[in-house]
């Protein structure tokens, strides 16, 4: 797998920030409410979607994201952020609904359900969504999918942390390398409502941090609940920090922006196949797409026009 140096990315970004004379520097569009989990979004005349939002960090795709023993094994994210529990009495709950639930009730139920083989309807089931899961079970009249968590094939003991965008040439879904590496690839999460408007998984966009005035092109790499979530690599670059191959728990939220001060723009461009062995090519394609879209000149216009949230 290729390694992308921060210097190369910054060099490419500098080139991408040169205005493109072939595209009008405008941001004509219409406002739309409650799209992508934000109060106000902007639908550009060319079909792109823009909105001001936070920068939350998505660690999915990193090989050390989830482990059965959580932080004790070096995992960056607690398992409670990856699953929803369904119980035989028909009730269900999100593992991350509170700190107390996360480390208490959720882990207790996961232990019982796992000990029963994950598929015993009389005990319960977990729908894994941050972890790759397979098989399904009927509980209290409803089908719960992705109930058996998949461990990485490398023997590390970590669970597979997938992304919606994946390298289709790698057919083994338990191979972590087929997914977008959160630490090396600037990637954004999109909600289904944005996908339904024609923004494709594997297409591109740009995130612009108003205060630092840093623009980072990205690939659309995963699905999530709302606009305003990017990979570790995207967050670090937008904060002016170098990329790293390994990060500690204390570094996992570097680049997080807790106020809606990041302008997210999703280009309506065709999807590109993801090549996990050439991360550098994905970065280059994102920068080329940004330049073709209009580059810094058009981004500046959008920063003035897109309504703030």
């Amino acid at each position: 797998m290729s390694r992308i140096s921060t210097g190369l990315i910054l060099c490419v970004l500098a080139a991408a920030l040169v205005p493109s004379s072939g595209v009008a520097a405008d941001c004509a569009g219409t406002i739309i409410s409650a799209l992508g989990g934000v109060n106000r979004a902007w639908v550009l005349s060319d079909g792109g979607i823009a909105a001001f939002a936070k920068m939350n960090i998505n660690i999915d795709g990193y090989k050390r994201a989830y482990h059965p023993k959580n932080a004790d094994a070096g995992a960056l994210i607690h398992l409670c952020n990856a699953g929803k529990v369904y119980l035989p009495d028909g009730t269900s709950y999100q593992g991350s609904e509170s700190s107390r639930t996360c480390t208490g009730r959720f882990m207790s139920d996961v232990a019982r359900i796992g000990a029963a083989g994950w598929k015993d309807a009389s005990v319960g089931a977990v729908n894994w969504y941050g972890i790759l899961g397979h098989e399904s079970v009927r509980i209290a009249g409803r089908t719960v999918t992705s109930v058996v968590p998949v461990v990485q094939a490398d023997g590390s003991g970590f669970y597979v942390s997938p992304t919606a965008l994946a390298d289709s040439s790698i057919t083994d879904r338990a191979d972590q390398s087929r997914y977008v590496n959160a630490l090396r690839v600037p990637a954004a999460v999109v909600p289904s409502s944005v996908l339904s408007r024609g923004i494709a998984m594997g297409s591109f966009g740009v995130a612009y941090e108003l205060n630092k005035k840093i623009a980072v092109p990205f690939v659309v790499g995963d699905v999530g609940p709302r606009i305003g979530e990017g990979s570790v690599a995207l967050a670090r670059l937008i904060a002016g920090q170098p990329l790293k191959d390994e990060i500690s728990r204390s570094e996992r939220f570097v680049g997080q922006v807790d106020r809606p001060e990041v302008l997210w723009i999703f280009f309506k461009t065709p999807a590109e196949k993801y090549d996990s062995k050439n991360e550098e090519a994905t970065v280059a394609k994102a920068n080329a797409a940004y330049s073709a879209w209009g580059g810094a000149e058009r981004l500046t216009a959008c920063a003035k026009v897109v309504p703030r949230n």
Side-chain angles (χ1 to χ4, degrees):
M1 184 179 295
S2 66
R3 299 289 85 182
I4 309 167
S5 71
T6 303
L8 174 59
I9 288 181
L10 293 177
C11 186
V12 175
L13 286 178
L17 288 170
V18 176
S20 171
S21 59
V23 179
D26 67 70
C27 200
T30 56
I31 192 170
I32 184 169
S33 300
L35 175 67
V38 297
N39 291 332
R40 299 188 296 175
W42 190 251
V43 180
L44 280 70
S45 57
D46 61 8
I49 303 291
F52 278 97
K54 301 177 181 181
M55 170 66 80
N56 291 317
I57 298 178
N58 179 34
I59 304 179
D60 292 351
Y62 178 44
K63 63 184 180 181
R64 297 176 65 85
Y66 298 101
H67 191 281
K69 295 182 179 179
N70 295 306
D72 289 344
L76 295 192
I77 318 175
H78 197 282
L79 283 179
C80 70
N81 295 287
K84 182 176 182 178
V85 172
Y86 291 81
L87 298 173
D89 63 3
T91 62
S92 61
Y93 66 91
Q94 295 285 353
S96 59
E97 66 180 29
S98 71
S99 296
R100 184 176 180 180
T101 298
C102 176
T103 58
R105 182 186 183 191
F106 178 80
M107 290 306 296
S108 177
D109 282 341
V110 165
R112 291 189 307 102
I113 293 168
W118 302 109
K119 299 184 294 180
D120 188 334
S122 69
V123 178
V126 183
N127 167 236
W128 297 107
Y129 47 79
I131 291 170
L132 180 66
H134 62 87
E135 300 191 50
S136 62
V137 64
R138 291 280 294 177
I139 295 184
R142 56 185 167 186
T143 300
V144 182
T145 60
S146 301
V147 298
V148 180
V150 179
V151 177
Q152 291 179 29
D154 63 0
S156 66
F158 282 83
Y159 287 125
V160 175
S161 177
T163 55
L165 182 64
D167 186 339
S168 59
S169 70
I170 300 175
T171 58
D172 182 3
R173 297 178 69 209
D175 186 340
Q176 185 65 52
S177 70
R178 80 187 296 264
Y179 303 105
V180 178
N181 183 350
L183 268 61
R184 279 288 164 179
V185 180
V189 173
V190 294
S192 56
S193 59
V194 172
L195 292 173
S196 69
R197 286 184 165 266
I199 302 302
M201 191 62 57
S203 61
F204 304 99
V206 63
Y208 179 57
E209 212 279 352
L210 290 183
N211 296 323
K212 295 182 180 294
K213 299 191 183 304
I214 295 176
V216 181
F218 58 72
V219 64
V220 176
D222 211 354
V223 179
R226 61 187 61 85
I227 294 172
E229 190 172 349
S231 66
V232 174
L234 178 57
R236 290 186 69 90
L237 288 174
I238 213 165
Q241 297 296 313
L243 300 186
K244 301 177 71 174
D245 285 322
E246 302 282 347
I247 60 171
S248 65
R249 286 178 63 83
S250 64
E251 298 175 292
R252 58 185 171 161
F253 296 134
V254 170
Q256 181 166 305
V257 179
D258 293 325
R259 297 175 60 84
E261 296 173 345
V262 177
L263 176 57
W264 298 81
I265 302 179
F266 300 90
F267 310 150
K268 195 169 185 179
T269 56
E272 293 275 354
K273 287 187 176 181
Y274 178 64
D275 182 357
S276 64
K277 299 178 183 63
N278 194 353
E279 295 163 347
E280 190 173 305
T282 298
V283 173
K285 288 177 182 178
N287 282 283
Y290 173 51
S291 181
W293 174 81
E297 188 177 1
R298 193 175 183 191
L299 180 62
T300 300
C302 285
K304 297 175 180 177
V305 173
V306 176
R308 299 294 296 269
N309 287 309

